[in-house]
Amino acid sequence: MKLVLTEFVTLDGVCQGPGSPTEDPSDGFTRGGWLIPFLDETFVRRTSEWLGLADGLLLGRRTYEAFARDWPEITDPDDPFTVRMNALPKYVATSTLTEASWNPTTILEGDPVESVAKLKAEPGRELQIHGSGRLGNALLAAGLVDTLRLAVAPTVVGSGRRLLDHPGMPVGLRLSKHEVTGTGLLLLEYDATGTAEVGEYEGVGAFV
């Protein structure tokens, strides 16, 4: 399977609490809900198409517990995500969770990098990380993420947990798809290309 990291972020890279001021107040974060003003039909259609490519969901403990609490309670028949979110196989990378109630769920034990590498070797289309910024960041740094999909909100939050912040080697990306919604959300898709290249500026003559 291909490992895909799907995240909602602000222009300054914050991924914490996109859906509500009370969604994730950890570490004293009070500026959640920043994505909601920019939701529109294009965003819903495109993210629904993204989810339609998934053969499994990979989640960290915090995100799993929030999703397991909320998604089974959604009963709107017109919601384009609920049936698939509840039915897809879920894999949780955690060292503290011992039981899982949101079926079908598999708890991954041991080193998450090794566990996810084994999952990727199984047949299928996409194993998608939703939320779970710390897990996604660690797997990106480990070279396991194949594709990064971002919905970038045109807002600067100024505080909160940021997505792309890891001590590993720089990660190279190649933009493969891009779109702008009517509300100004940037929908970006990148393919991971390995360690990021660097260079030295030699003047504009080198580029013409």
Side-chain angles (χ1 to χ4, degrees):
M1 285 187 286
K2 183 167 73 169
L3 184 60
V4 178
L5 176 57
T6 300
E7 293 286 347
F8 307 147
V9 297
T10 64
L11 198 59
D12 54 338
V14 173
C15 61
Q16 187 172 359
S20 165
T22 59
E23 177 184 359
D24 183 1
S26 60
D27 302 320
F29 183 63
T30 60
R31 301 181 182 182
W34 41 264
L35 180 69
I36 304 307
F38 306 104
L39 300 188
D40 65 1
E41 182 180 352
T42 300
F43 170 83
V44 172
R45 182 172 63 253
R46 197 66 66 232
T47 51
S48 178
E49 291 172 356
W50 292 349
L51 185 60
L53 299 171
D55 281 337
L57 303 177
L58 175 63
L59 308 168
R61 179 193 58 80
R62 191 200 308 256
T63 299
Y64 176 81
E65 290 180 334
F67 282 11
R69 178 193 65 220
D70 296 339
W71 281 106
E73 300 301 317
I74 299 176
T75 58
D76 181 358
D78 296 323
D79 186 287
F81 306 101
T82 303
V83 171
R84 286 174 292 175
M85 289 293 289
N86 287 320
L88 279 168
K90 270 77 69 173
Y91 302 91
V92 190
T94 177
S95 60
T96 58
L97 193 66
T98 57
E99 296 182 355
S101 59
W102 188 28
N103 293 317
T105 293
T106 299
I107 296 176
L108 301 178
E109 300 178 351
D111 184 349
V113 172
E114 294 181 2
S115 298
V116 173
K118 292 179 181 178
L119 269 180
K120 286 190 60 180
E122 296 183 3
R125 296 175 300 166
E126 293 186 359
L127 178 64
Q128 295 184 356
I129 306 170
H130 290 259
S132 309
R134 290 191 180 98
L135 173 64
N137 202 5
L139 296 176
L140 182 68
L144 292 179
V145 172
D146 299 293
T147 300
L148 177 61
R149 293 192 184 114
L150 300 177
V152 184
T155 185
V156 175
V157 175
S159 68
R161 192 164 54 252
R162 286 170 168 78
L163 175 62
L164 303 177
D165 182 18
H166 63 81
M169 295 296 292
V171 177
L173 300 168
R174 179 180 61 250
L175 183 66
S176 57
K177 295 180 183 177
H178 59 90
E179 184 176 7
V180 183
T181 72
T183 60
L185 280 172
L186 287 176
L187 305 181
L188 305 173
E189 183 167 318
Y190 293 92
D191 295 326
T193 60
T195 303
E197 297 180 0
V198 298
E200 186 170 336
Y201 182 65
E202 298 178 354
V204 296
F207 309 104
V208 297

